[in-house]
Amino acid sequence: MKIAILGATGAVGQQMLSCLEEQNIEITELKLLASARSVGKKFLFKEKEIEVEEAKENSFEGLDIVLGAVESDMSKRFAPFIKKSGAIYIDNSSAFRMNENVPLVVPEINGEDALKHQGIIANPNCSTIISLMAIYAVNKISKITHIVASTYQAVSGAGVNGINELENQVRDIMENKKITSEVFSEQIAYNCIPQISEILENDFTAEEMKMQNEGRKIFHNPNLKVTCTCVRVPVIRSHSISLSFKTEKKLSIDEIKNAIKNSKGVKLTDLPMPINTSNLDLVEVGRIRKDEVLDGYALWCCGDQVRKGAATNAVQIIKCLK
Ligand SMILES: NC(=O)c1ccc[n+]([C@@H]2O[C@H](COP(=O)([O-])OP(=O)(O)OC[C@H]3O[C@@H](n4cnc5c(N)ncnc54)[C@H](OP(=O)(O)O)[C@@H]3O)[C@@H](O)[C@H]2O)c1
C-alpha cells in the first residue's frame, strides 16, 4: 500500500507515523508531506529515514491512501487534488465531517460506514471519539437518548504549539517573567479556559457543536440530544470528559459496567486520569454512578486524543477498508 501523511511534522502526523508501524500496516511507499518550512527534515519509519517533502498539488499521484493531519483550511485546499489522484483521503480535520457523502467513522462503533466512502472518510472530533468509545456498548443494549458532557481538554489538542505554550508559561512564571499567550486566548498555565474555538450565534463554541452534531451521525441517531461545555486545562496530553447520559430502557449500574467492561478499546478502571492514558490507545472509564437529575447515569472517561482521538483511529480506518 502506498500511503502519505499530509502534515507529517505535527502532533497528529508524528503519532500517525508510530501508529502505522505499531498496527503493522503493509506499506510499500510512505511519503511525508508538510509545508515548505519542513522540507529536508528526516523521520524514522521502520528504521529507515524518510525526508519530508513539501505538499503540492501533484504530491498525491499514485498513492492509495492519504492520512490528513492538517488544519481544515489546508485540508479543503488539498482535498480536490487527492480526489483527482484516486487516493482515499482519511481526514483528521473538521472540514468534511458533516458532509452527507463523507462517512464519519470510529471503527469499533460504525466501522462498516467507511465502506460507503466516495473518496473521503472523516475522523471525528477527538473528544467525541473518546466520549462515544466510553458509552457505545451501553448504546447497543439500550439506545442513548440524551448526553450532557463537560470536557477537560489537554493543550496538545492545539498541536505542538499548544504544548510549547504551556511549558513556556510555566517556566516564565517560575522565573518571574511576563508570560505571552498566542495559541490560547488566555493564560493556560495554572488555569482553565472555558472556551475552545470561536463562540457561535447560539452561544456554544464550534468545538461544543462538533460533539453535539458528530455524536448523532456516528450513532446513526438524529434524535440524540447532546449538550456540552468544552474546557482547556493545563494537561499535556489526554482529554478527560465528565459524561451524564440517559438510555431508552432503565439499566442497572451492573449492566452498564458489564457492557463497558466488555467493549473493545475500553478499560474499566476505578479512577481514570489523563496521566495514565497518555500514550495509550485504550479509553479508560470509571466513576460510574446514577445521575438522579437526568434519571440516567454518570461517568468519567479519559483518552489520549492524539492517539485514539486522532492518529490511532485514522490508522484503524485503513483496516476497515480491507
Ligand atoms: N492535536 C490533537 O490532539 C488533534 C486531535 C484530533 C484532531 N486533530 C486535528 O488534526 C489536524 C492536525 O492537528 P495537529 O495538532 O497535529 O497540528 P500541528 O501540530 O499544528 O501540525 C500541523 C501540520 O500541518 C502542516 N502544515 C501547515 N501548513 C501547511 C501547508 N501549507 N502545507 C502542508 N502542510 C502544512 C504542518 O507542517 P509544518 O510543520 O511544515 O508547518 C504540520 O505538519 C488538525 O485538523 C486538528 O484539528 C488534532
Side-chain angles (χ1 to χ4, degrees):
M1 204 181 286
K2 295 183 177 170
I3 297 185
I5 302 176
L6 174 61
T9 50
V12 174
Q14 284 290 293
Q15 188 62 60
M16 281 171 168
L17 201 57
S18 316
C19 289
L20 283 170
E21 196 162 339
E22 287 164 14
Q23 294 196 37
N24 265 323
I25 303 288
E26 220 175 278
I27 297 182
T28 50
E29 184 187 330
L30 180 61
K31 262 191 179 182
L32 303 183
L33 303 170
S35 76
R37 293 178 290 274
S38 298
V39 171
K41 280 188 185 165
K42 289 178 187 158
F43 296 102
L44 275 183
F45 180 72
K46 294 194 174 169
E47 293 171 1
K48 218 182 106 195
E49 267 192 344
I50 306 179
E51 209 168 301
V52 175
E53 300 169 40
E54 182 183 356
K56 293 189 179 148
E57 296 174 3
N58 62 359
S59 297
F60 313 101
E61 300 302 325
L63 295 171
D64 299 301
I65 305 263
V66 176
L67 291 171
V70 291
E71 293 299 333
S72 290
D73 54 342
M74 283 297 139
S75 182
K76 285 184 186 150
R77 186 179 134 198
F78 287 113
F81 304 108
I82 300 172
K83 191 167 173 104
K84 202 166 139 219
S85 77
I88 299 169
Y89 183 34
I90 302 175
D91 181 25
N92 265 273
S93 81
S94 57
F96 305 104
R97 286 179 191 153
M98 294 314 293
N99 287 17
E100 214 174 293
N101 56 6
V102 173
L104 184 64
V105 177
V106 182
E108 293 86 345
I109 305 175
N110 64 335
E112 63 290 347
D113 285 359
L115 298 169
K116 297 181 200 142
H117 76 85
Q118 295 175 27
I120 304 178
I121 302 170
N123 216 54
N125 161 264
C126 43
S127 300
T128 307
I129 296 181
I130 294 159
S131 301
L132 298 194
M133 280 296 290
I135 53 176
Y136 79 93
V138 179
N139 189 53
K140 272 191 193 157
I141 45 175
S142 177
K143 207 186 253 182
I144 290 173
T145 55
H146 298 75
I147 298 176
V148 180
S150 297
T151 70
Y152 301 64
Q153 298 186 211
V155 291
S156 53
V160 170
N161 295 337
I163 303 174
N164 294 341
E165 186 149 307
L166 173 59
E167 289 179 346
N168 290 341
Q169 287 185 357
V170 168
R171 193 201 51 230
D172 288 346
I173 289 169
M174 289 301 170
E175 292 174 4
N176 270 326
K177 288 186 186 154
K178 194 174 175 300
I179 62 144
T180 51
S181 301
E182 281 165 8
V183 178
F184 303 112
S185 57
E186 306 291 334
Q187 172 180 329
I188 186 62
Y190 310 121
N191 195 18
C192 294
I193 309 173
Q195 181 187 341
I196 299 179
S197 74
E198 72 276 20
I199 292 181
L200 306 174
E201 266 182 16
N202 63 0
D203 296 331
F204 281 92
T205 62
E207 185 77 1
E208 288 158 354
M209 290 314 294
K210 286 177 194 169
M211 182 94 148
Q212 306 196 22
N213 296 327
E214 295 180 22
R216 293 186 191 109
K217 184 167 174 178
I218 297 162
F219 272 172
H220 298 169
N221 180 2
N223 298 322
L224 175 67
K225 288 197 166 29
V226 184
T227 188
C228 180
T229 304
C230 290
V231 182
R232 185 74 67 193
V233 296
V235 165
I236 294 283
R237 199 166 158 143
S238 239
H239 289 353
S240 305
I241 303 114
S242 159
L243 270 185
S244 284
F245 60 96
K246 187 174 177 166
T247 49
E248 265 179 355
K249 246 181 17 189
K250 281 222 161 146
L251 301 171
S252 70
I253 291 294
D254 278 347
E255 281 175 297
I256 300 223
K257 282 188 180 167
N258 276 333
I260 292 173
K261 193 166 142 195
N262 294 319
S263 40
K264 206 171 160 215
V266 177
K267 185 178 167 195
L268 190 62
T269 174
D270 289 338
L271 204 57
M273 287 186 286
I275 208 156
N276 294 337
T277 50
S278 292
N279 216 16
L280 279 192
D281 286 333
L282 284 176
V283 170
E284 293 198 353
V285 184
R287 299 288 328 278
I288 299 172
R289 60 210 190 274
K290 278 205 166 152
D291 182 321
E292 302 291 355
V293 174
L294 204 59
D295 195 15
Y297 316 93
L299 58 77
W300 172 260
C301 60
C302 302
D304 187 322
Q305 90 291 344
V306 188
R307 275 187 171 266
K308 184 55 189 168
T312 303
N313 198 72
V315 173
Q316 287 172 331
I317 291 175
I318 300 178
K319 293 184 168 173
C320 295
L321 298 172
K322 283 186 183 163

